[in-house]
Amino acid sequence: MSGELPPNIDIRDSFARRANHFFTVTDPRNILLTNEQLENARKTVHDYRQGIVPPGLTENELWRAK
């Protein structure tokens, strides 16, 4: 997915999303991420919830950050 990211993606939880999130956060490859990468992901989700969408952010990147 490319282009502008719509500010109205529903990132609230559902069972499928919680399950997907569980499998993502329990991915052992996450231990290879730096504190900076983790903080950037946290900031991306926080900003999105505040209505701030960085240019070029894709839906896949948003879900990965979450």
Side-chain angles (χ1 to χ4, degrees):
M1 184 174 170
S2 63
E4 289 298 313
L5 186 64
N8 59 348
I9 296 172
D10 182 10
I11 60 173
R12 292 178 292 174
D13 286 334
S14 69
F15 175 78
R17 289 182 180 157
R18 285 192 311 272
N20 186 39
H21 179 70
F22 172 78
F23 292 119
T24 300
V25 298
T26 57
D27 185 342
R29 294 174 294 176
N30 285 338
I31 64 172
L32 302 175
L33 297 176
T34 65
N35 286 340
E36 181 181 3
Q37 289 171 307
L38 294 171
E39 181 59 27
N40 286 341
R42 186 202 63 78
K43 185 177 182 327
T44 297
V45 172
H46 178 267
D47 287 351
Y48 184 83
R49 288 181 173 155
Q50 300 298 316
I52 303 167
V53 180
L57 180 68
T58 66
E59 185 173 352
N60 287 338
E61 290 169 340
L62 178 62
W63 281 111
R64 178 69 179 138
K66 188 169 184 336

